[in-house]
Structure formats: C-alpha cells, structure tokens
Amino acid sequence: MRKSIKILWVVFGAGVAFFLLLLLLINLRLIGHMPSLEELENPRTALASEVIAEDGTIMGKFLSVDRSNVDYKDISQNVINALLATEDRNFYDHSGIDPKGTAAIPFYLLVGKKRGSSTITQQLALNLQADVEGKSRSRNLLIRSFQKLTEWVIAIKLERNFTKKEIITLYLNTVTFGDNVYGIENGARTFFSKDPGRLSVEEAALLVGLLKGSTMYNPRRNPKMALDRRNTVIENMVETGYITKAEGDAAKSRPIVLRYNKIDHNSGLAPYFREVLRGEMKNWCKEHKKADGTEYNLYRDGLKIYTTINPRMQLYAEEAVAKHLKDLQKSFFQQANIKSGNVWTKREDAKKDLVRFMKESDRYKQMLEDEVPEEEIVKAFKTPTKMKVFAWRSFTDASQNEIDTVMTPLDSIKYSRAILQTGFMAMDPESGEVKAWVGGPDFRYFKNDHVFKSRRQVGSTFKPFLYCFALMNGFSPNTMLPNEPVTIGNWTISRNSEGSVGGSITMAGALAKSLNLVSVYLIKQFGAQAFANFANSKIGFESNKIDPYPSISLGVSELSLFDMMRAYTMFPARGVITKPVYITRIEDRNGNILETNVPEKREVISETDAYTMVKMMEGVTTTGGTGARLRFRYNLPGEIAGKTGTTNDNTDGWFIGYTPQLLAGAWVGCDNNYLRFNSTALGQGANTGLPIWALFMQKVYADKTLGIDPKSTFPVPANMRNDLYFNYENNVQPGAEAEDVGNGAASDYETIDLRDYGEPVETVAPPAKETPKEKDKKDAPKDKKKDEATPPGATPKAVMPPKPKSNNQ
C-alpha cells in the first residue's frame, strides 16, 4: 500500500512538473505562439480602414473583417452589465482564470453537461490568437487543451498589464456579431444604426446574446431564437442586480426593432469614389512603411482616410443623376434601333462586341470551367432564364432599382449595354476640394467609373480653352468673327452643326451659341500646333495629350471628366488651375497623422483673361445660349457660367458649369459609341448633362447649411470695370472680320468630317413682360421701308435655321 501511494505521488508530482514545464515553455515562447509583452501592451487586432467624409461621417470601409475600436467611456453601461451578468460574473474577483469554474468542468462532463469556464480575459486571449494567427477554437480535444493552456498564460499576462476596464474594452472591440461585423461599435451601428453609448437594455442584451452563437441567434435569420436568447440575458441582468425585475419585464416585453445598416462596398455613400480611392490607397500603402519597416495593410491596419466629400452634396448629386437618367432612359429605350435590337444586327462592330461581351461574362467563364461544350454554352445564352437586372424604379432608394425578369442571357447583355452611363463631379474651384462624385448609374451593376477612369471626346466643352487662347493673342469678346465656311488644307467645314451659316458674330456670341465655323476660323488664325502647345504645356491635361489637328477646336480629344474639371478651375479661380484634392489627411489607428494633402495650384492665365472668359461663358446660360434652359426651365438664379458639349452623332453629352463658389460637370453616354441618341434634341449636352447639373444646384441652393449663395458674384479684377458689356446676340454683314492669316499645310492636320460636332442654341425663352409703352409700340403701324427684304446680292445676317425634320443631325 505504501509503495502504491509512493508511485501515485511520483506520478502526480511528475504530472505537475510536466504541467509547470509546459506552462514555462509556452511562456518563454519556445512552443506554440505566445504574444510578446509589447504585443500584449499594444494588441494589433485587424482593423478596417475607414473612409471619412468632410463632416466626420463614415462613408465606407476597406476591410478583411469589419472592425472598429471604441473607448470604454463610449460604451453603454447596459452592454457592460449584460456582458458581466452573462459571460463572467466573477470578472472583478479573479486574475484571468476562474478556479471554481475550471475545477467544476470534470464534474459537469461526468453528468453529460457542458459548462463554459472561460473568463472574459481568456476569451480575449483566444480572440487575440485568432487575429494574429488566423486560428479559431479547435474541436480536437488535444489541440484544444493546448490552446487552453496558452489562453491561461496569456490571460494572466493580460491581467498584469491591463486594468479591468481596459480588458473589457479590448474584449468588446474584438468579438464578432456575425455578418463579418467585429467590435461593439460596428455591432451597434450595423444592427441598430446607433453609437454603442446609446444602446438600451434590450438592445445591449441582444448583442451580448449574439456572442454565444452569432449565426444561431442572428435576429435577421432566426428572430424567435434571438428573442429567447435576448430575454435570457435580460434575466441574467436581473439576477445579478444590474436592473430591477420591473425593468427586466419591461425590456423583455419589447419586440426586437432592428435598423440594420451594414456598410458594404457596393452600397453606401459614393461607392464609385471609394473604389477609385481604394486603388490610390493600395499604391500609398506600397510606398509607405510602418516603424517596423513593413508596408501598411489597407485592410488590417485601421487607417483613417479623411476626405473632402460633403455627404449632403453627395446625396444631392446621386439623386440628381438618378432623377434625370430615370426619365432619359425611357426615351432611349423607345428609340427604334434600340427597341428593335437592330443596332446589334446592322453593324459588324456591334456583332463582334456582342460575342466578346458574352465570352467576358461570369456565366460564360463558369460554364467553360464546368467543361460545357461551346455549342451548349451558346445555346444556353439564347435560352430564356430567370434573372435580376438593373432598372430605374426610384431616384431616392437605389436598393429598389432592380427587377426580376425572364430573358436570355444574350438579351440581358444587350439590355445592360444600353443603360445610359454618367459621370458627375462637384468641387470648390478655389480650394480644389472635391465635394461630390458619381461615377455611374449604380455601382452594384456597373463598376466602371466615368469621372476619373474613362476618357471620352469632350465636344464643345473644349472650346473655352480656344477662346481663352484667342484672348491671350489680342482678340476681345466683341471682336467680330466670320460665321462662314472655312477651309484648312484639303478640309472644308461648310456649316455649323445645326445648319446655320453666314454673316459675322462677336466672339462672345459665337461661344454662347457654340458655332463650329467660328471655332475652326480661330484655330486657322493661330495654327493647331500653337493651340495644342498651349493646351499641353500651360493647361497640362493629364489624361491625354492634345494632338495638333484643327479638329481639336471642336473637341475631338478624349479626356476624363476629372481632367476637364481640373482645367476649368482656371476660369472661376482667377487664372489659377487647382488640381482636385479629395484626401485631406491619413491617420494610423492611434490617430497619428501619416500624411496631409494641400492643393496643387498653378497660374496659367491672367486674372483679367480669366474674368473675361467667365463673362463670356455666362452668355451660354443666357437667352440664345446653348445652356439657356438653366434659366427658363430650371429657374436657377445668380451668376452662372459654363459650356455645353455634344460630340459627333450625339455620342457624348456634356455640361460643365460654375458659380463663384462651386464648379460641377456632367457627362452622359453609353460605353459603346454606336449606342447613342438618333435625335440631337435628346442627345445634346443641354438635354443629357445639363439637367443633372441643374437638379443638383437646385438642391444645393435650397440647402442653406451648405453656404452656397446664389447671390454671390465673381470677383472683378482691380484693373477692370464691372460694367463690361458683351454682345451675345447681334450678327452683322461681312466687312469687320479679322484678316485671314491661316498657317500650316494640309499634312499638319487630320482630315475628318467635323460637321456634326456641336449643338444647337436654346431657342425657347420665357415671354418677357410687356410695359404699356412697349405694347403700344408693338401695335402701331409698321414702317414698310424697314420691313423690306434684304436687297439682292447682299449677304444675309447669320440666322438660326428652323429645326430640321430629320432625327439625324
């Protein structure tokens, strides 16, 4: 008996020694993974990088796991009480391990029951291991036992290095609530759209209840189980005295009311902007190192990216785009060649594109991976099937803009390619701060950004740069220019896009009416090379080089909206080009500033030339200008300047306009050039891009909190009069034109047909209110001599012809 007892003690002692040795080896980090003291003092859980708007609103996140940190003081006491009552009632009495709970485990196992013995500190230790190593709780008994030992060591170290409040805070910042949501702040914002400091008893109980099983007790998937679990947590709070029985009964009687709002990259504010930002931040992370020499990780390092986006302006921009395109799309779908599908059968390039689009689709690629024969794939693409497609149903709720339908996958490709695309951006021309960014109709279905990434022919929106060049070379707004056919080399342009020809007009009037003949006349005077040099070296377009062809006078160059906006800042910003800036600063997870951005400014023209151009471009928005509907249809007040743009065959529609405080631009078109409006009345920039601009400005002017004042005026340079008079209307017979001193040879130019570039002027204006004197004068007998026809042989004044009957312009 004594020998057996001795053996028992030896075995027991050896077991204890082995156990202590194992703990020592774990602590010394010789086996397993034991976080260093530095890691424990500064735990680096994976944090999502946040994109923050101008007012502090979180617009979106770049994440591998959706997690944010919050301080103890910002967590509702209801959450703390629910957590302690349910997960660790002895939290303030133990040093990381609960001896009684641990000792009771074998007895519970003997009777076939499970008992959770892990303290909050131990659970935190497991969470930290999972984050560092990507390991979760193992189901293997041996591995789990080893994990448990590691948890004990880490838990004791955590207790030595942190206060109880800090441990609770760390724990609540690392737990998961399902749906890839980590941390109490994200849990509160996702399920209840609240700050964690404002959670009620029942809301706190629901979130704490999720910790036992984030899938099983998810209120969206299993509302009955979630309710029962929530009420169990409330009962625990009553038992532990955190709330009274009456408070508990009242909380249990309330239903679960969710305000679920999970931010993902397809939804939320400014998704196109955030995707462009993601690409820029990835490059930034590669180029910048942390203190330990490693690169920043956009998805795990919890960067805070402060942007210039104004949430209210962004919402107004998104609403303006949706409101206008919703109606414009109906007109486009009613167009004969779109409605019948002939556009895909009559053109060889469209036929080839359709095959390419099919082969680039996810459906096609998946069927190839599944080794489906080619003929079967083609057959499947011609077989009707159920699907969801994008459709404009609401301009205020993007989630409604899709429908369930039945169509062939091939028809769905044709349908989606015919959805009108858009790009819209608004910025402060002085500071360069981007305030709103809409890169397309719906990011869920159309990923291509049309603000920064895509380049399109800019049409007549390029003309202001040519007219500015003319100012710099001695012309003035009231210089009379011929509205006559122009020949450069072997290329002749005989009429304006809407058919007008003849007479002379002031330079200001030609810009307001966007007369192509005058623009080509101007570039003939200066030479395409000289103007291209000005555009490339002085303005400096970044998205494309301006080639020295005469066609650039009509806007055949392909540029991004972002680049055009940068160039347009020279007019309202008094001759200074300001590069748009959308990141103000970048901080690390601890609030340390890693980088700040200031706008890049460069003076390119004089202040007087800039102001003169502003006044000339105001003519575009006056009666007779191509953008006059801003006034008579949208009733926008105040000083507004801008330029419409329409490219050949109405492929692209543009409007870029500005007030003294805000610059904004819009482009509308399809990704494929052969998908376009047949009618200039519908496809011109004044009808596609301009309404978005106008609807946006209506909202901006109505929101007084934005500080955009319709009564603001463009500052007049000190050496100029503020009573400048520009003649936008009158045409005179030839005789006062500038001398034709064209230069260059035919080989210098690209020969293409440019007659269809441009857009007609707005011919509709509100009737003027007549005074009694004017009425009497109108009713008086007319002087026959004044009404005589133009004498034979005289050149008629330039007039706008009647609207052509044909839809093809």
Side-chain angles (χ1 to χ4, degrees):
M1 186 70 179
R2 288 180 180 177
K3 187 176 181 180
S4 61
I5 293 174
K6 186 177 180 181
I7 293 173
L8 183 63
W9 276 107
V10 169
V11 171
F12 177 76
V16 171
F18 176 76
F19 178 74
L20 293 175
L21 178 63
L22 195 62
L23 290 179
L24 179 63
L25 292 174
I26 291 173
N27 186 48
L28 293 175
R29 304 171 72 187
L30 296 176
I31 60 173
H33 175 82
M34 171 59 59
S36 65
L37 186 60
E38 182 182 356
E39 288 177 306
L40 291 176
E41 290 175 344
N42 301 283
R44 299 193 58 79
T45 54
L47 286 183
S49 292
E50 296 177 342
V51 181
I52 302 170
E54 183 184 51
D55 66 349
T57 301
I58 297 176
M59 298 165 55
K61 299 177 181 181
F62 303 129
L63 51 88
S64 54
V65 293
D66 189 1
R67 174 188 283 135
S68 294
N69 280 346
V70 65
D71 294 332
Y72 183 89
K73 61 182 176 57
D74 296 320
I75 302 173
S76 168
Q77 191 60 44
N78 292 324
V79 175
I80 308 296
N81 294 342
L83 177 67
L84 297 178
T86 305
E87 296 293 328
D88 194 350
R89 296 186 182 184
N90 299 318
F91 177 70
Y92 288 105
D93 300 323
H94 62 66
S95 297
I97 302 172
D98 184 359
K100 292 181 181 178
T102 302
I105 292 177
F107 299 100
Y108 274 85
L109 291 175
L110 287 173
V111 295
K113 293 184 178 181
K114 290 184 178 181
R115 184 185 193 280
S117 64
S118 292
T119 64
I120 287 176
T121 316
Q122 286 177 258
Q123 292 179 48
L124 172 59
L126 181 64
N127 292 344
L128 291 176
Q129 285 188 92
D131 187 73
V132 172
E133 298 182 324
K135 294 180 180 178
S136 57
R137 191 187 302 267
S138 176
R139 294 186 177 183
N140 183 286
L141 182 61
L142 185 62
I143 296 174
R144 179 63 194 134
S145 299
F146 187 80
Q147 280 184 337
K148 202 73 175 175
L149 293 177
T150 307
E151 286 172 26
W152 287 353
V153 176
I154 296 174
I156 293 170
K157 284 194 171 187
L158 286 170
E159 289 280 350
R160 288 179 178 178
N161 287 277
F162 293 95
T163 65
K164 291 289 187 179
K165 284 185 178 181
E166 287 172 334
I167 290 172
I168 288 178
T169 306
L170 270 174
Y171 175 77
L172 287 172
N173 281 332
T174 58
V175 292
T176 178
F177 295 98
D179 294 354
N180 198 33
V181 173
Y182 288 75
I184 187 62
E185 180 178 32
N186 281 356
R189 291 186 184 279
T190 299
F191 286 94
F192 301 110
S193 296
K194 279 185 175 182
D195 293 330
R198 297 174 50 233
L199 292 170
S200 64
V201 170
E202 61 272 18
E203 291 168 343
L206 177 74
L207 291 177
V208 170
L210 278 169
L211 301 181
K212 186 175 182 181
S214 58
T215 300
M216 183 183 299
Y217 300 116
N218 189 308
R220 297 170 67 237
R221 299 177 184 177
N222 303 305
K224 177 64 171 62
M225 295 182 72
L227 181 66
D228 291 343
R229 178 62 183 164
R230 182 203 72 172
N231 290 346
T232 298
V233 174
I234 293 173
E235 289 169 2
N236 289 339
M237 296 174 73
V238 173
E239 288 178 16
T240 50
Y242 287 119
I243 57 175
T244 64
K245 187 175 185 310
E247 289 171 332
D249 291 341
K252 287 194 293 184
S253 68
R254 299 185 187 105
I256 294 176
V257 180
L258 298 179
R259 291 185 62 195
Y260 193 84
N261 182 30
K262 181 163 172 33
I263 296 177
D264 65 54
H265 200 63
N266 282 327
S267 59
L269 207 60
Y272 287 95
F273 167 76
R274 285 186 277 120
E275 184 61 22
V276 172
L277 185 65
R278 180 203 296 266
E280 183 163 330
M281 285 304 302
K282 280 184 176 179
N283 291 332
W284 184 93
C285 288
K286 289 179 181 178
E287 296 167 0
H288 293 77
K289 308 293 184 188
K290 293 182 281 191
D292 60 4
T294 60
E295 294 178 359
Y296 281 98
N297 187 315
L298 181 62
Y299 304 103
R300 297 178 63 84
D301 282 338
L303 300 175
K304 294 187 183 299
I305 307 153
Y306 290 87
T307 74
T308 61
I309 297 295
N310 182 291
R312 301 180 75 83
M313 286 194 190
Q314 180 65 33
L315 288 172
Y316 298 153
E318 291 176 2
E319 184 177 318
V321 164
K323 187 172 185 179
H324 179 55
L325 290 191
K326 183 173 181 287
D327 296 330
L328 194 64
Q329 189 68 58
K330 292 177 184 176
S331 301
F332 193 57
F333 276 151
Q334 289 302 311
Q335 191 167 284
N337 65 336
I338 302 296
K339 192 174 183 179
S340 65
N342 286 343
V343 68
W344 298 102
T345 58
K346 301 290 186 183
R347 299 178 58 107
E348 287 303 316
D349 54 348
K351 291 178 185 177
K352 292 178 182 178
D353 279 347
L354 194 56
V355 174
R356 178 168 59 86
F357 297 149
M358 179 184 72
K359 292 184 176 181
E360 289 174 349
S361 68
D362 291 337
R363 183 189 296 268
Y364 186 93
K365 291 176 181 177
Q366 185 60 54
M367 294 181 80
L368 274 184
E369 286 183 15
D370 295 340
E371 299 182 350
V372 178
E374 177 74 19
E375 59 272 16
E376 290 296 321
I377 297 177
V378 173
K379 182 179 178 181
F381 268 80
K382 295 179 180 179
T383 304
T385 183
K386 291 182 179 180
M387 63 179 68
K388 284 184 182 289
V389 297
F390 172 82
W392 286 114
R393 302 180 69 186
S394 170
F395 62 83
T396 56
D397 184 0
S399 64
Q400 295 183 26
N401 291 330
E402 62 181 10
I403 56 172
D404 294 299
T405 187
V406 176
M407 64 170 67
T408 69
L410 205 59
D411 283 338
S412 73
I413 292 174
K414 297 175 184 177
Y415 171 84
S416 65
R417 302 302 296 190
I419 297 293
L420 291 170
Q421 301 297 307
T422 189
F424 179 84
M425 180 176 137
M427 63 180 288
D428 183 325
E430 293 275 359
S431 69
E433 293 184 352
V434 176
K435 300 298 181 183
W437 182 309
V438 183
D442 191 305
F443 190 75
R444 293 173 302 168
Y445 288 88
F446 308 99
K447 303 297 187 186
N448 191 26
D449 171 72
H450 292 287
V451 172
F452 188 80
K453 293 185 176 180
S454 66
R455 299 181 305 179
R456 303 293 293 223
Q457 287 190 334
V458 293
S460 295
T461 56
F462 202 73
K463 289 178 181 176
F465 307 122
L466 175 61
Y467 281 72
C468 180
F469 190 60
L471 284 179
M472 297 168 66
N473 283 275
F475 284 63
S476 77
N478 290 320
T479 297
M480 300 304 298
L481 302 174
N483 187 34
E484 302 284 356
V486 185
T487 297
I488 302 179
N490 62 357
W491 168 54
T492 298
I493 180 167
S494 59
R495 61 175 174 82
N496 292 304
S497 62
E498 78 302 313
S500 69
V501 63
S504 299
I505 189 169
T506 65
M507 191 164 75
L511 181 61
K513 298 175 187 299
S514 200
L515 300 180
N516 286 347
L517 290 174
V518 177
S519 294
V520 177
Y521 170 82
L522 284 174
I523 204 166
K524 183 177 182 180
Q525 306 312 301
F526 309 121
Q529 185 66 63
F531 176 52
N533 289 343
F534 168 72
N536 289 319
S537 62
K538 292 289 284 184
I539 300 175
F541 292 96
E542 296 179 353
S543 55
N544 208 354
K545 182 184 176 183
I546 307 302
D547 293 319
Y549 301 124
S551 53
I552 60 177
S553 62
L554 305 183
V556 299
S557 301
E558 294 183 346
L559 299 167
S560 69
L561 173 60
F562 186 88
D563 214 1
M564 286 293 288
M565 291 284 285
R566 185 191 68 85
Y568 260 63
T569 59
M570 63 195 277
F571 303 127
R574 301 189 292 280
V576 176
I577 280 184
T578 305
K579 185 175 182 179
V581 59
Y582 41 83
I583 301 174
T584 55
R585 72 182 186 276
I586 302 170
E587 294 181 357
D588 66 13
R589 65 172 66 200
N590 299 315
N592 299 312
I593 296 176
L594 304 177
E595 184 172 294
T596 57
N597 289 327
V598 294
E600 297 177 19
K601 293 176 176 283
R602 183 166 50 86
E603 185 175 359
V604 292
I605 59 175
S606 69
E607 187 177 0
T608 55
D609 283 343
Y611 182 74
T612 303
M613 282 303 304
V614 168
K615 303 312 287 184
M616 287 176 63
M617 293 172 75
E618 280 187 301
V620 173
T621 68
T622 61
T623 302
T626 58
R629 67 179 69 185
L630 278 177
R631 308 293 191 181
F632 69 77
R633 183 172 298 179
Y634 296 99
N635 301 313
L636 288 176
E639 295 190 0
I640 300 174
K643 189 70 192 75
T644 55
T646 310
T647 62
N648 201 23
D649 293 328
N650 312 303
T651 303
D652 306 276
W654 293 78
F655 182 74
I656 303 177
Y658 52 90
T659 71
Q661 297 173 285
L662 200 62
L663 166 66
W667 166 86
V668 174
C670 286
D671 283 330
N672 301 103
N673 288 351
Y674 46 78
L675 296 171
R676 57 194 177 220
F677 281 103
N678 290 334
S679 162
T680 300
L682 290 176
Q684 63 176 309
N687 191 64
T688 57
L690 180 146
I692 295 174
W693 196 97
L695 292 168
F696 170 73
M697 288 304 299
Q698 283 180 339
K699 288 280 190 177
V700 168
Y701 277 154
D703 189 342
K704 302 304 180 187
T705 65
L706 296 175
I708 305 299
D709 186 3
K711 295 179 181 178
S712 63
T713 58
F714 293 103
V716 183
N719 59 344
M720 290 187 72
R721 305 195 321 271
N722 60 3
D723 59 346
L724 296 177
Y725 170 72
F726 293 166
N727 182 354
Y728 303 113
E729 287 294 326
N730 293 339
N731 298 319
V732 299
Q733 295 180 15
E737 301 95 314
E739 185 182 356
D740 186 347
V741 290
N743 62 349
S747 59
D748 297 330
Y749 307 124
E750 178 183 26
T751 303
I752 58 174
D753 186 358
L754 301 171
R755 291 174 298 170
D756 292 331
Y757 280 79
E759 56 280 327
V761 299
E762 295 285 3
T763 56
V764 182
K769 213 169 183 180
E770 293 182 344
T771 63
K773 275 188 178 181
E774 289 172 334
K775 191 173 186 308
D776 292 340
K777 187 176 180 181
K778 185 181 79 172
D779 295 337
K782 294 182 180 178
D783 186 341
K784 289 183 180 179
K785 289 183 180 179
K786 289 182 180 179
D787 288 338
E788 287 178 357
T790 305
T795 305
K797 296 178 181 180
V799 294
M800 308 312 295
K803 195 175 183 180
K805 293 180 181 178
S806 170
N807 283 334
N808 296 312
Q809 297 292 317

